[in-house]
Amino acid sequence: MPKILVLDELSQDGLALLESAGSLEVEVRTGLKGEDLHQALLGADGAICRSGVKITADALKGNTRLRAIARAGVGVDNIDTQAATRLGIVVMNTPGGNTISTAGTHHRPDAGHVAERRPRLPKPDRGPLGPQKVHGHATGRQNVGIIGLGRVGQAVATRARGLEMQILGYDPFLPGARAKELGIENVRVGQGHAPLGRLPHRPHAVERCHEEPHRRRRGADAKEGAPG
């Protein structure tokens, strides 16, 4: 029976899915490193990790049994892919696994984000609240700019479209047809009406955009997404 070694903490649902296969031996061993990790991998057919464990060339040295390493998440920077390839070990990841959660975390052009640009609510000790002191601000038809329209950026755009916001984006690699499909106006660097200033490249794009508010459309919010 193939043995799967789980090297980082996974949700119980994930472990239950592995065990439900009925044809796999699943062993969870977290926090391994050095020789302990090396020995554990020697006795496994497959390994699943997140970002905690570091699977180096030394950890894989002399391994003739291990066939695959799966990273639960985006990227494989904690795995020596070259060493794995030399040994015939397949390295894979789940690039879409974090897209929804990341988009949800960074999707702030909503009521809460718009509220950040409005006066704070008065404290209770400053008297009763009245309609003249507090007013709402609708998100519909507001402009939101997204720099980088990869998986996460597109997921953010989908959520903004659900709020009936006007979406403007910048990504030199996004085909025009795809931008139209997503309901995004794909602006260009130097375009006069660009809501994000000169739309400079990362890593300080949003900060620089906010330094040039006169270049943005009225009511526009700047949001930076990943380009890949």
Side-chain angles (χ1 to χ4, degrees):
M1 182 180 294
K3 180 178 179 180
I4 305 300
L5 189 63
V6 179
L7 297 170
D8 286 312
E9 291 186 6
L10 295 182
S11 69
Q12 288 301 316
D13 289 342
L15 294 175
L17 184 62
L18 289 171
E19 293 168 352
S20 67
S23 57
L24 298 173
E25 177 187 353
V26 181
E27 181 180 358
V28 179
R29 296 187 63 184
T30 62
L32 295 179
K33 56 184 178 180
E35 187 58 25
D36 290 338
L37 176 60
H38 178 231
Q39 290 298 324
L41 290 172
L42 287 175
D45 297 282
I48 298 176
C49 67
R50 295 179 68 184
S51 59
V53 69
K54 306 297 181 185
I55 303 179
T56 64
D58 288 338
L60 297 173
K61 186 176 181 180
N63 199 315
T64 58
R65 178 175 174 177
L66 191 64
R67 289 181 283 176
I69 301 172
R71 161 75 185 269
V74 179
V76 290
D77 52 298
N78 58 320
I79 304 169
D80 191 325
T81 55
Q82 293 185 355
T85 299
R86 288 195 296 268
L87 293 169
I89 301 169
V90 176
V91 177
M92 62 191 80
N93 65 351
T94 55
N98 294 349
T99 298
I100 301 303
S101 60
T102 304
T105 299
H106 293 283
H107 174 54
R108 299 179 60 204
D110 52 14
H113 191 190
V114 172
E116 289 183 359
R117 297 186 285 112
R118 296 293 177 264
R120 300 301 184 194
L121 294 177
K123 295 182 179 180
D125 60 359
R126 295 182 181 175
L129 301 180
Q132 72 279 6
K133 294 183 178 180
V134 181
H135 60 85
H137 188 75
T139 57
R141 301 187 64 79
Q142 293 294 310
N143 295 318
V144 57
I146 304 174
I147 302 176
L149 294 165
R151 287 186 301 273
V152 174
Q154 291 182 32
V156 170
T158 299
R159 282 150 182 76
R161 186 174 58 186
L163 293 174
E164 298 183 352
M165 303 186 80
Q166 305 298 312
I167 309 167
L168 300 101
Y170 170 68
D171 192 320
F173 305 106
L174 183 71
R178 178 58 177 163
K180 184 176 181 180
E181 179 184 342
L182 292 168
I184 300 172
E185 181 182 343
N186 204 358
V187 300
R188 302 184 302 275
V189 172
Q191 188 168 327
H193 71 276
L196 306 177
R198 288 196 299 268
L199 298 174
H201 292 291
R202 300 169 70 220
H204 302 299
V206 173
E207 289 80 359
R208 292 180 184 174
C209 290
H210 283 297
E211 290 173 1
E212 299 180 349
H214 60 283
R215 294 292 302 278
R216 291 184 279 125
R217 288 183 181 176
R218 174 174 293 183
D221 286 316
K223 188 65 191 171
E224 183 180 17

